[in-house]
Amino acid sequence: ELKVEQNPLFLSMQEGKNYTIYCNYSTTSDRLYWYRQDPGKSLESLFVLLSNGAVKQEGRLMASLDTKARLSTLHITAAVHDLSATYFCAVDPTGNQFYFGTGTSLTVIP
Amino acid sequence: KAGVTQTPRYLIKTRGQQVTLSCSPISGHRSVSWYQQTPGQGLQFLFEYFSETQRNKGNFPGRFSGRQFSNSRSEMNVSTLELGDSALYLCASSLTYGLAGVEQFFGPGTRLTVL
């Protein structure tokens, strides 16, 4: 059974600090997605990573993909309160079904 | 352009009843996927439809079913509701099916509560 694991599950960090969320998956996949979910809301697409070594950045967030290690990271730089949300990674190894990670609940403390 | 819409946004039902949820994808998108989100199980894939055909199905009992219409709108139905069916049901649309890197765009979800 395909597994997608994120760690940490919960993350509390101070404003201005840096941190990394990790996403490990158990099968070969060249495609990995990151989503953000605010409480009571739907999922918002953040990044689409389509190849080994792919790196994408948007504002204070940067995502990378290492398909050989089956690992993606979401790096947060100089966190601000607006980044508080739950972050999900998802893989799509066959092109027809997304498998989501467990989610990382991020709280940024002023 | 308009995003994915789901109706209704909230539903309260009792055990044993059935429910139908609706999803209208982004204009031009032909693939619709459904997911169940619960605190305990996270986001789980229910099924995907493309060109009015179910292309893939997750590990859910037969009480969960769906269909897609010629205009790409999709409905999912849950019969004989159980307490454990209480969840946020998310619909996602994408341009097509089975290709690398086809992004899924999610609707606001339908919050189903079973009493």
Side-chain angles (χ1 to χ4, degrees):
Chain A
E1 181 188 341
L2 191 156
K3 290 188 177 180
V4 183
E5 295 180 337
Q6 291 179 233
N7 71 81
L9 297 182
F10 299 94
L11 175 58
S12 180
M13 56 190 297
Q14 286 188 313
E15 278 191 334
K17 298 293 187 182
N18 304 334
Y19 208 84
T20 300
I21 298 170
Y22 297 88
C23 172
N24 290 91
Y25 51 98
S26 63
T27 192
T28 302
S29 178
D30 291 333
R31 300 178 281 274
L32 190 133
Y33 308 80
W34 283 97
Y35 287 87
R36 166 183 172 145
Q37 186 177 37
D38 291 294
K41 300 292 181 64
S42 188
L43 276 73
E44 173 191 354
S45 177
L46 292 174
F47 299 108
V48 178
L49 304 170
L50 296 178
S51 61
N52 185 42
V55 177
K56 290 197 174 179
Q57 183 164 3
E58 180 74 32
R60 301 174 188 275
L61 300 177
M62 183 175 70
S64 65
L65 177 62
D66 181 343
T67 59
K68 294 179 182 177
R70 298 179 184 175
L71 170 70
S72 179
T73 61
L74 180 66
H75 186 72
I76 303 156
T77 302
V80 293
H81 181 67
D82 286 352
L83 290 179
S84 296
T86 299
Y87 294 84
F88 291 93
C89 63
V91 295
D92 177 23
T94 57
N96 61 9
Q97 180 176 338
F98 276 39
Y99 296 84
F100 281 87
T102 46
T104 296
S105 177
L106 170 65
T107 302
V108 179
I109 303 168
Chain B
K1 58 182 177 183
V4 179
T5 58
Q6 291 186 247
T7 57
R9 294 292 311 280
Y10 302 91
L11 265 179
I12 300 176
K13 293 285 188 179
T14 56
R15 281 179 295 176
Q17 287 187 309
Q18 76 165 21
V19 67
T20 299
L21 313 182
S22 180
C23 171
S24 292
I26 292 170
S27 177
H29 285 196
R30 296 173 60 197
S31 177
V32 173
S33 298
W34 289 90
Y35 295 85
Q36 181 195 67
Q37 186 177 26
T38 60
Q41 299 298 318
L43 277 152
Q44 293 186 287
F45 172 78
L46 281 157
F47 26 65
E48 177 170 12
Y49 287 86
F50 177 75
S51 292
E52 301 177 64
T53 302
Q54 186 181 93
R55 304 288 175 162
N56 201 7
K57 189 179 191 310
N59 189 25
F60 277 81
R63 300 185 297 105
F64 291 81
S65 63
R67 59 178 175 168
Q68 186 181 35
F69 302 95
S70 59
N71 61 358
S72 295
R73 190 177 70 85
S74 177
E75 288 181 347
M76 67 164 281
N77 184 278
V78 188
S79 62
T80 319
L81 284 166
E82 300 177 0
L83 294 179
D85 296 334
S86 295
L88 179 66
Y89 289 89
L90 292 165
C91 162
S93 84
S94 55
L95 269 172
T96 186
Y97 164 83
L99 291 181
V102 178
E103 198 170 352
Q104 293 196 350
F105 297 87
F106 285 81
T110 294
R111 173 75 62 185
L112 172 64
T113 302
V114 182
L115 302 176

